Amino acid sequence: MFYINLIIIFIAFVVVVSNAFNSISKTNVMKSYNNIHHMKMVSVDNSYPGQTAPFGFFDPLSLSNNIGEKRFKLWRESEIKHGRLAMLAAVGMLVAEKFNPLFGGKISGPAIYHFQEIMNVWPAFWIVILTSISVIEFYNINIGWESPQEMTSSTAMLKRDYLPGNLNFDPLNLMPRDEENLCKMMNKELNNGRLAMIGVAGEIIMID
């Protein structure tokens, strides 16, 4: 019965998220995003999100030299996505080791082993995880990536009017509508995501 309830909750979650994706008004948000999108990818006045004091545009290995706007956007998309996952993981790893009401409290110990422990209790758990990832990735590809007809090379890139990380998902209406505050929020997300990626790597190394 527990597993049936868990599946029902998961299906309801997918439906709610899907409806939220479709119901959000994008007009003002996309206008602000597009204003930032058309800024120079690398600017001396730190106007592009991610360039903050004290480092400014930090690229000591010059990896971004001569890569072009499309490739730069692709890297930024990857950075934002990994940062968001790391922020969730940083909190989740700490909380899950002390608070684990699911599965009758059978999941305990170091967080890096919880997936294996859940698989022992519920072998079909990976299906839920894989389905969740597939739904999100499919939506992301659909709104942000070039279709085969739009591709100008053998490798798909992000759409020109798509800003990295913008999934049009803001159920709490937290996203600022003006350009200045939107840029500030994006800087906070990028910086916290970068810190989280370093933090999660440190957590895993210390636990292991």
Side-chain angles (χ1 to χ4, degrees), residues 47-129:
S47 60
Y48 193 77
Q51 302 179 60
T52 56
F55 300 108
F57 184 74
F58 184 72
D59 184 17
L61 300 180
S62 300
L63 298 177
S64 63
N65 286 1
N66 304 316
I67 62 172
E69 180 180 344
K70 287 187 175 182
R71 181 66 62 180
F72 191 95
K73 283 180 61 178
L74 197 63
W75 288 3
R76 174 51 56 85
E77 171 84 353
S78 178
E79 179 183 27
I80 292 174
K81 182 176 293 186
H82 283 85
R84 289 171 177 171
L85 288 173
M87 285 187 281
L88 291 172
V91 175
M93 290 178 69
L94 295 176
V95 172
E97 292 185 4
K98 299 297 181 181
F99 180 72
N100 41 31
L102 297 179
F103 303 101
K106 296 179 181 179
I107 311 303
S108 60
I112 59 173
Y113 303 121
H114 283 187
F115 188 87
Q116 290 86 339
E117 291 184 27
I118 295 175
M119 289 292 291
N120 292 332
V121 177
W122 186 26
F125 180 66
W126 69 270
I127 298 177
V128 176
I129 298 298

Side-chain angles (χ1 to χ4, degrees), residues 3-188:
Y3 300 128
I4 294 176
N5 290 335
L6 191 61
I7 292 173
I8 293 174
I9 292 172
F10 170 72
I11 293 174
F13 169 77
V14 172
V15 172
V16 170
V17 170
S18 298
N19 288 334
F21 281 150
N22 293 327
S23 64
I24 295 171
S25 174
K26 300 187 293 182
T27 304
N28 293 332
V29 176
M30 285 307 299
K31 183 177 180 181
S32 295
Y33 264 107
N34 286 334
N35 286 339
I36 293 181
H37 166 72
H38 290 299
M39 293 178 184
K40 294 172 64 178
M41 298 303 290
V42 179
S43 55
V44 295
D45 61 351
N46 295 338
S47 60
Y48 193 77
Q51 302 179 60
T52 56
F55 300 108
F57 184 74
F58 184 72
D59 184 17
L61 300 180
S62 300
L63 298 177
S64 63
N65 286 1
N66 304 316
I67 62 172
E69 180 180 344
K70 287 187 175 182
R71 181 66 62 180
F72 191 95
K73 283 180 61 178
L74 197 63
W75 288 3
R76 174 51 56 85
E77 171 84 353
S78 178
E79 179 183 27
I80 292 174
K81 182 176 293 186
H82 283 85
R84 289 171 177 171
L85 288 173
M87 285 187 281
L88 291 172
V91 175
M93 290 178 69
L94 295 176
V95 172
E97 292 185 4
K98 299 297 181 181
F99 180 72
N100 41 31
L102 297 179
F103 303 101
K106 296 179 181 179
I107 311 303
S108 60
I112 59 173
Y113 303 121
H114 283 187
F115 188 87
Q116 290 86 339
E117 291 184 27
I118 295 175
M119 289 292 291
N120 292 332
V121 177
W122 186 26
F125 180 66
W126 69 270
I127 298 177
V128 176
I129 298 298
L130 184 60
T131 302
S132 301
I133 295 172
S134 299
V135 170
I136 297 172
E137 288 299 318
F138 177 80
Y139 178 80
N140 191 186
I141 292 171
N142 187 49
I143 68 168
W145 289 73
E146 295 176 334
S147 66
Q149 294 75 26
E150 296 171 321
M151 290 172 55
T152 56
S153 64
S154 59
T155 304
M157 293 290 182
L158 299 179
K159 294 179 180 178
R160 181 169 179 77
D161 61 348
Y162 170 77
L163 189 78
N166 180 21
L167 299 179
N168 302 325
F169 182 69
D170 185 22
L172 299 180
N173 200 31
L174 298 176
M175 184 181 297
R177 296 306 193 257
D178 62 287
E179 183 178 319
E180 181 180 357
N181 288 321
L182 179 59
C183 190
K184 288 181 180 179
M185 179 169 282
M186 294 173 72
N187 281 331
K188 292 176 182 178

